[in-house]
Short mmCIF file of all heavy atoms in Angstrom, two decimals:
data_model
loop_
_atom_site.label_atom_id
_atom_site.label_comp_id
_atom_site.label_asym_id
_atom_site.label_seq_id
_atom_site.Cartn_x
_atom_site.Cartn_y
_atom_site.Cartn_z
N LYS A 19 -8.71 -7.44 -18.55
CA LYS A 19 -8.86 -7.55 -17.09
C LYS A 19 -7.66 -7.04 -16.39
O LYS A 19 -6.67 -6.64 -17.10
CB LYS A 19 -9.05 -9.04 -16.71
CG LYS A 19 -10.40 -9.62 -17.22
CD LYS A 19 -10.52 -11.06 -16.82
CE LYS A 19 -11.87 -11.65 -17.15
NZ LYS A 19 -12.03 -13.06 -16.76
N ALA A 20 -7.62 -6.95 -15.04
CA ALA A 20 -6.49 -6.47 -14.29
C ALA A 20 -6.23 -7.30 -13.01
O ALA A 20 -7.20 -7.90 -12.50
CB ALA A 20 -6.74 -5.03 -13.96
N MET A 21 -5.08 -7.27 -12.65
CA MET A 21 -4.67 -7.87 -11.31
C MET A 21 -3.78 -6.97 -10.60
O MET A 21 -2.83 -6.40 -11.21
CB MET A 21 -3.99 -9.21 -11.48
CG MET A 21 -3.55 -9.74 -10.13
SD MET A 21 -3.04 -11.51 -10.16
CE MET A 21 -2.51 -11.65 -8.40
N ILE A 22 -4.02 -6.72 -9.35
CA ILE A 22 -3.18 -5.83 -8.50
C ILE A 22 -2.46 -6.69 -7.44
O ILE A 22 -3.13 -7.45 -6.80
CB ILE A 22 -4.07 -4.75 -7.81
CG1 ILE A 22 -4.64 -3.82 -8.83
CG2 ILE A 22 -3.15 -3.92 -6.83
CD1 ILE A 22 -5.59 -2.77 -8.26
N LEU A 23 -1.16 -6.60 -7.43
CA LEU A 23 -0.31 -7.39 -6.53
C LEU A 23 -0.22 -6.66 -5.19
O LEU A 23 0.24 -5.61 -5.10
CB LEU A 23 1.06 -7.55 -7.13
CG LEU A 23 1.16 -8.21 -8.54
CD1 LEU A 23 2.54 -8.22 -9.12
CD2 LEU A 23 0.66 -9.65 -8.46
N ALA A 24 -0.82 -7.30 -4.17
CA ALA A 24 -0.91 -6.58 -2.84
C ALA A 24 -0.67 -7.51 -1.67
O ALA A 24 -1.18 -7.24 -0.60
CB ALA A 24 -2.31 -5.99 -2.75
N ALA A 25 0.14 -8.52 -1.86
CA ALA A 25 0.37 -9.50 -0.79
C ALA A 25 1.60 -9.33 -0.04
O ALA A 25 1.76 -10.04 0.97
CB ALA A 25 0.27 -10.98 -1.39
N GLY A 26 2.49 -8.42 -0.40
CA GLY A 26 3.79 -8.30 0.21
C GLY A 26 3.69 -7.59 1.56
O GLY A 26 2.66 -6.94 1.96
N LYS A 27 4.73 -7.72 2.36
CA LYS A 27 4.86 -7.11 3.68
C LYS A 27 5.32 -5.69 3.64
O LYS A 27 5.01 -4.88 4.67
CB LYS A 27 5.69 -7.89 4.62
CG LYS A 27 5.06 -9.20 5.11
CD LYS A 27 5.93 -9.73 6.33
CE LYS A 27 5.17 -10.82 6.98
NZ LYS A 27 5.95 -11.41 8.05
N GLY A 28 5.91 -5.23 2.57
CA GLY A 28 6.45 -3.88 2.62
C GLY A 28 7.49 -3.60 3.62
O GLY A 28 7.40 -2.53 4.27
N THR A 29 8.42 -4.45 3.79
CA THR A 29 9.36 -4.27 4.91
C THR A 29 10.22 -3.02 4.70
O THR A 29 10.65 -2.41 5.79
CB THR A 29 10.36 -5.51 4.96
OG1 THR A 29 10.97 -5.69 3.64
CG2 THR A 29 9.55 -6.70 5.25
N ARG A 30 10.48 -2.57 3.52
CA ARG A 30 11.32 -1.32 3.41
C ARG A 30 10.52 -0.07 3.72
O ARG A 30 11.10 0.99 3.69
CB ARG A 30 11.82 -1.28 1.95
CG ARG A 30 12.76 -2.39 1.60
CD ARG A 30 13.16 -2.39 0.12
NE ARG A 30 13.78 -1.20 -0.29
CZ ARG A 30 13.63 -0.62 -1.45
NH1 ARG A 30 12.87 -1.19 -2.37
NH2 ARG A 30 14.23 0.53 -1.78
N VAL A 31 9.26 -0.18 3.93
CA VAL A 31 8.43 1.05 4.29
C VAL A 31 7.99 1.01 5.75
O VAL A 31 7.06 1.66 6.11
CB VAL A 31 7.16 1.19 3.37
CG1 VAL A 31 6.71 2.60 3.30
CG2 VAL A 31 7.56 0.75 1.93
N ARG A 32 8.71 0.16 6.56
CA ARG A 32 8.38 0.16 7.98
C ARG A 32 8.86 1.55 8.57
O ARG A 32 9.86 2.01 8.07
CB ARG A 32 9.09 -0.99 8.66
CG ARG A 32 8.47 -2.34 8.39
CD ARG A 32 9.29 -3.44 8.92
NE ARG A 32 8.66 -4.77 8.67
CZ ARG A 32 9.29 -5.96 8.83
NH1 ARG A 32 10.56 -5.90 9.29
NH2 ARG A 32 8.69 -7.05 8.61
N PRO A 33 8.14 2.08 9.49
CA PRO A 33 7.12 1.48 10.36
C PRO A 33 5.65 1.63 9.77
O PRO A 33 4.70 1.21 10.35
CB PRO A 33 7.21 2.30 11.57
CG PRO A 33 7.63 3.66 11.09
CD PRO A 33 8.58 3.38 9.98
N LEU A 34 5.56 2.32 8.62
CA LEU A 34 4.15 2.54 8.12
C LEU A 34 3.49 1.21 7.88
O LEU A 34 2.23 1.07 8.10
CB LEU A 34 4.27 3.26 6.76
CG LEU A 34 4.95 4.56 6.67
CD1 LEU A 34 4.91 5.18 5.32
CD2 LEU A 34 4.58 5.52 7.78
N THR A 35 4.22 0.16 7.53
CA THR A 35 3.57 -1.15 7.30
C THR A 35 3.49 -2.05 8.46
O THR A 35 3.11 -3.20 8.35
CB THR A 35 4.32 -1.86 6.12
OG1 THR A 35 5.70 -1.84 6.37
CG2 THR A 35 4.05 -1.26 4.79
N TYR A 36 3.81 -1.56 9.67
CA TYR A 36 3.52 -2.34 10.87
C TYR A 36 1.98 -2.43 11.03
O TYR A 36 1.44 -3.39 11.55
CB TYR A 36 4.11 -1.60 12.08
CG TYR A 36 5.60 -1.81 12.25
CD1 TYR A 36 6.36 -0.87 12.90
CD2 TYR A 36 6.22 -2.94 11.73
CE1 TYR A 36 7.68 -1.01 13.06
CE2 TYR A 36 7.58 -3.14 11.97
CZ TYR A 36 8.34 -2.22 12.59
OH TYR A 36 9.67 -2.34 12.75
N ASP A 37 1.25 -1.44 10.54
CA ASP A 37 -0.19 -1.38 10.76
C ASP A 37 -0.98 -1.27 9.51
O ASP A 37 -2.17 -1.35 9.56
CB ASP A 37 -0.52 -0.17 11.66
CG ASP A 37 -1.91 -0.17 12.21
OD1 ASP A 37 -2.24 -1.21 12.93
OD2 ASP A 37 -2.71 0.76 12.02
N LEU A 38 -0.29 -1.00 8.39
CA LEU A 38 -0.92 -0.94 7.07
C LEU A 38 -0.26 -1.83 6.08
O LEU A 38 0.92 -1.87 6.00
CB LEU A 38 -0.83 0.56 6.60
CG LEU A 38 -1.60 1.68 7.20
CD1 LEU A 38 -1.18 3.02 6.68
CD2 LEU A 38 -3.04 1.47 7.04
N PRO A 39 -1.08 -2.48 5.25
CA PRO A 39 -0.44 -3.16 4.08
C PRO A 39 0.06 -2.06 3.11
O PRO A 39 -0.61 -0.93 3.09
CB PRO A 39 -1.59 -3.98 3.49
CG PRO A 39 -2.86 -3.34 3.94
CD PRO A 39 -2.52 -2.73 5.33
N LYS A 40 1.05 -2.32 2.36
CA LYS A 40 1.70 -1.23 1.59
C LYS A 40 0.70 -0.54 0.61
O LYS A 40 0.79 0.67 0.43
CB LYS A 40 2.90 -1.84 0.79
CG LYS A 40 3.87 -0.79 0.29
CD LYS A 40 5.11 -1.47 -0.29
CE LYS A 40 6.10 -0.44 -0.88
NZ LYS A 40 7.22 -1.08 -1.60
N PRO A 41 -0.17 -1.29 -0.09
CA PRO A 41 -1.09 -0.57 -0.94
C PRO A 41 -2.06 0.40 -0.24
O PRO A 41 -2.68 1.18 -0.92
CB PRO A 41 -1.90 -1.71 -1.60
CG PRO A 41 -1.00 -2.87 -1.52
CD PRO A 41 -0.32 -2.73 -0.21
N MET A 42 -2.15 0.29 1.09
CA MET A 42 -2.99 1.23 1.81
C MET A 42 -2.33 2.48 2.32
O MET A 42 -2.89 3.35 2.94
CB MET A 42 -3.59 0.41 3.01
CG MET A 42 -4.56 -0.59 2.70
SD MET A 42 -6.11 0.00 1.74
CE MET A 42 -6.81 0.96 3.06
N ILE A 43 -1.03 2.64 2.03
CA ILE A 43 -0.22 3.82 2.41
C ILE A 43 -0.90 4.98 1.78
O ILE A 43 -1.10 4.93 0.49
CB ILE A 43 1.21 3.70 2.07
CG1 ILE A 43 1.90 2.59 2.96
CG2 ILE A 43 1.93 4.98 2.29
CD1 ILE A 43 3.25 2.34 2.61
N PRO A 44 -1.26 6.06 2.48
CA PRO A 44 -1.95 7.15 1.86
C PRO A 44 -1.15 8.22 1.15
O PRO A 44 -0.03 8.57 1.65
CB PRO A 44 -2.68 7.84 3.13
CG PRO A 44 -1.75 7.51 4.25
CD PRO A 44 -1.15 6.16 3.94
N ILE A 45 -1.62 8.76 0.08
CA ILE A 45 -1.10 9.91 -0.58
C ILE A 45 -2.19 10.90 -0.63
O ILE A 45 -3.29 10.62 -1.25
CB ILE A 45 -0.53 9.61 -2.04
CG1 ILE A 45 0.54 8.52 -2.00
CG2 ILE A 45 -0.10 10.86 -2.75
CD1 ILE A 45 1.83 9.04 -1.39
N LEU A 46 -2.00 12.17 -0.10
CA LEU A 46 -3.09 13.12 0.01
C LEU A 46 -4.32 12.46 0.69
O LEU A 46 -5.43 12.67 0.33
CB LEU A 46 -3.47 13.70 -1.38
CG LEU A 46 -2.37 14.48 -2.08
CD1 LEU A 46 -2.95 15.11 -3.31
CD2 LEU A 46 -1.75 15.53 -1.15
N GLY A 47 -4.09 11.65 1.72
CA GLY A 47 -5.17 11.03 2.49
C GLY A 47 -5.86 9.84 1.84
O GLY A 47 -6.88 9.38 2.41
N LYS A 48 -5.43 9.41 0.67
CA LYS A 48 -6.15 8.32 0.02
C LYS A 48 -5.16 7.21 -0.31
O LYS A 48 -4.02 7.47 -0.75
CB LYS A 48 -6.81 8.87 -1.34
CG LYS A 48 -7.64 7.93 -2.08
CD LYS A 48 -8.53 8.50 -3.07
CE LYS A 48 -7.77 9.08 -4.26
NZ LYS A 48 -8.65 9.63 -5.27
N PRO A 49 -5.52 5.93 -0.10
CA PRO A 49 -4.62 4.80 -0.33
C PRO A 49 -4.10 4.86 -1.77
O PRO A 49 -4.85 5.11 -2.72
CB PRO A 49 -5.42 3.59 0.01
CG PRO A 49 -6.53 4.05 0.85
CD PRO A 49 -6.81 5.47 0.42
N VAL A 50 -2.77 4.40 -1.92
CA VAL A 50 -2.18 4.31 -3.28
C VAL A 50 -3.10 3.42 -4.19
O VAL A 50 -3.35 3.72 -5.34
CB VAL A 50 -0.83 3.77 -3.17
CG1 VAL A 50 -0.23 3.47 -4.51
CG2 VAL A 50 0.09 4.68 -2.36
N MET A 51 -3.57 2.35 -3.65
CA MET A 51 -4.31 1.37 -4.47
C MET A 51 -5.60 1.99 -4.95
O MET A 51 -6.11 1.61 -6.01
CB MET A 51 -4.56 0.08 -3.68
CG MET A 51 -5.12 -1.01 -4.47
SD MET A 51 -5.13 -2.55 -3.53
CE MET A 51 -6.89 -3.14 -3.88
N ALA A 52 -6.18 2.98 -4.22
CA ALA A 52 -7.39 3.54 -4.71
C ALA A 52 -7.13 4.34 -6.03
O ALA A 52 -7.98 4.35 -6.90
CB ALA A 52 -7.98 4.52 -3.67
N TYR A 53 -6.00 5.03 -6.10
CA TYR A 53 -5.65 5.72 -7.35
C TYR A 53 -5.55 4.69 -8.45
O TYR A 53 -5.93 5.02 -9.59
CB TYR A 53 -4.28 6.48 -7.17
CG TYR A 53 -4.37 7.64 -6.25
CD1 TYR A 53 -3.89 7.57 -5.00
CD2 TYR A 53 -5.03 8.91 -6.64
CE1 TYR A 53 -3.91 8.68 -4.08
CE2 TYR A 53 -5.02 9.97 -5.77
CZ TYR A 53 -4.51 9.81 -4.52
OH TYR A 53 -4.57 10.96 -3.64
N LEU A 54 -4.93 3.56 -8.20
CA LEU A 54 -4.84 2.57 -9.27
C LEU A 54 -6.18 2.05 -9.77
O LEU A 54 -6.40 1.97 -10.98
CB LEU A 54 -4.02 1.32 -8.72
CG LEU A 54 -2.52 1.52 -8.59
CD1 LEU A 54 -1.95 0.18 -8.01
CD2 LEU A 54 -1.83 1.74 -9.96
N ILE A 55 -7.07 1.75 -8.88
CA ILE A 55 -8.37 1.30 -9.21
C ILE A 55 -9.14 2.44 -10.03
O ILE A 55 -9.77 2.06 -11.08
CB ILE A 55 -9.17 0.82 -7.97
CG1 ILE A 55 -8.56 -0.40 -7.37
CG2 ILE A 55 -10.66 0.60 -8.34
CD1 ILE A 55 -9.08 -0.76 -6.08
#
């Protein structure tokens, strides 16, 4: 099975995380977490 840790605020990646949780930050237009899944 798998668990993805996605509860943090991502303070070091502000301002991106003012409006996005860190796993939703896009790379080539797709959230980082999508690549993991």
Side-chain angles (χ1 to χ4, degrees):
K19 293 182 176 181
M21 176 169 178
I22 296 176
L23 304 172
K27 280 192 172 183
T29 54
R30 293 172 60 213
V31 200
R32 289 174 177 167
L34 306 184
T35 49
Y36 283 152
D37 193 57
L38 288 174
K40 199 174 178 186
M42 292 297 294
I43 291 175
I45 300 291
L46 296 185
K48 185 163 70 175
V50 173
M51 190 169 133
Y53 291 104
L54 283 176
I55 292 171

